[in-house]
Amino acid sequence: MAHLFKTARTKMLGQAVALLCLLAGDAGGLAFANAEPAWREKERLLENNKTLPCAASGTCSLGHTRQWTGDIYPLQGLRDCLRARVYRREIILVSENRLVAGFQLYDNMMQMGYDHIVLMSTEENCKRALRAWPQVSCIWSSQVFAATPKYMLDRHAFLPRAARLGVNVLCLDSDSMFLSDIYSHLKAPPLRDMALMALKDPAIGWLNSAVVYVQNARPDGPSVYVLNEVIDRLERWAEAREYMLGRNRKDFCWEQMAMSDILMSAVIGRPIAYGCWNWDRNVTYRDAWEGAHKRYFGYNETGGIGSWHFLKETKVPWPKSLAEHAPGFRRTEGVTHQQVIQIPNTQGVWPEEFGGPLYAPVRGNKSRAWMELIKSDGMPLWADPEDPAQAAANAANRELFTYLPEWIGIAYGQDGTSGYWNPALYRGANGTGTSPYALAHFYRLFGAPMNKLTVKMANNMWNWELSHLLHPRGGVFFASTEHAPIPDVLVYSPEVENREWVSHEEWDKATKLSSLAELLQALTRLAMEMGRTVVYPAPRCNLTWLGGERNNHLPLEIPMQFKHQCIPYSPSGKGFNDNRCMLGGYLMQGCMAARWYFAGGMFPPEYDHLVVHIRDKAAEHPVATVAAEQLARSWDSEELAKTLMAQHGGL
């Protein structure tokens, strides 16, 4: 049975305050593990194909693919997978070992009208995924690598193999979010002629492999070479550990950095390891290393190499279909960074200022097996980059590369707090507004990696039914534990949360562990005293110190001191009538995770779902009032519990 206790009003800092104390009780036993939620009925989406976002490009694949699950390492397994899942030569690959994150992006894409998707994980995870969601297509690879980590290398291995078979592959991290149809932009200028595309890392300006797209690429061309070389280079290094270390060279590298190096190699026409071997051990080494590469690129100044040194920056018009119906959006141009790429060639020389030979003289077994696997598809292969006799052929083998423009892969730190990620805000009162972005990628978020999930919850891109399928006992919250999957909570009532907090300092004190006035301690301390999960409040985004009237329309303008530690939240259907800002310190993982002395924390989107879930699933949910004089005592939890049980029943 679920009980809802609501306090009477009392005083805190001279303002009326109310608290809600929500006890989940046995609601976890009522989770709908056997239910058939509406989102699983593809017929519902099929009926709306003409109005789904995918209609803009004609890439509505719902109803046009077959479910497939299995090992794609054998060539036949890969062929079978592509035969079942490809639509109009397109496939989307999501690599994720956390099923809840993978499922959410999968569902987001289905709402776009896409079903040419594969979720890549482990065999064990795929079996679990199918038990929860039989319609999902989950794949794994039994390939054994010398390099690590396998879960990242698996997706890098999928890319060149599928591309060589004539398939266009969009590869995504799960911290991505579709806001409109992406293919209408990938297939239009300036991107339609690009064979290889990737994100530009917003921090260092190099390639970010969180979003990679390869289209219409030659099986023996430089785009597929770049994708293939990620695996080949890392395997050759890992299998030659003694040789590499004996030459004082790294035998490993972050796969994204390796891909950046290989892209640079394809631009300048020589295999290099600029980023992976830049140890930055001292100023002398760094200056010599960077200087040698800089001069090869044709520059004499000091400092490292940025994308502007080897890619051409081009201003391009912002797509009219995105901008013209985006409320308050004023940008008219975006930026791409493009370049011709080719197969690099050593020309018979490994300059020592570039680190000398990249590889050991003899290949190891795994790198040799990798290249045999690549060639087993029967498609032509590029000329050997280490054969100087092939230098002319390599240089003539060309395609185009570009970093994706901002409307595909905008990062949270760039525009995540604008409100343009939340359909509850950008669609407007008449429901016709659009986001100016087709795809968002969260990149890095303050607090903890879990906030990549929080952002989806806050922007109404979270399917709670999916989470419940993976956690049938109801443990879908950050504070959920094995013994308390649906936690008891302590929360400010809406009239308190939405009050006119006069300053950030006042709100902050009322939220954190510091002691407060005579009648009430801070919310978190009180929750700890009572053994309940604290629901952290989110003040209205239109409070004066958060931007005031400017935040009653788009774009939201959060002051700089809060902007980069803020997640705006407006529930679906509420819009600016309920637009709140989750702020600051409590967004840290340490404020959310349950421990023996602390029942954890809960964000407003979680709490809103908790209330709906308990009301929908609990047999009874009576509301009881706690008198103010009871709250004014010394917070003896046992005394309060006995009083409440005596008043309202229970043991």
Side-chain angles (χ1 to χ4, degrees), residues 146-193:
T148 58
K150 175 176 167 56
Y151 78 95
M152 294 298 295
L153 298 178
D154 277 341
R155 73 176 190 177
H156 281 284
F158 182 96
L159 278 162
R161 295 182 66 202
R164 279 176 57 81
L165 295 174
V167 175
N168 302 332
V169 186
L170 176 62
C171 179
L172 299 166
D173 276 359
S174 66
D175 61 331
S176 303
M177 195 164 72
F178 285 80
L179 298 169
S180 68
D181 176 53
I182 195 173
Y183 289 102
S184 54
H185 309 293
L186 293 173
K187 304 303 181 182
L191 303 180
R192 67 183 179 190
D193 297 324

Side-chain angles (χ1 to χ4, degrees), residues 68 81 85 91-95 106 109 115-120 136-139 158:
W68 194 89
C81 170
R85 300 304 297 160
I91 196 167
I92 302 175
L93 173 69
V94 179
S95 177
Y106 204 113
M109 290 187 284
D115 196 20
H116 52 286
I117 315 162
V118 287
L119 174 62
M120 174 171 272
V136 72
S137 289
C138 189
I139 62 173
F158 182 96

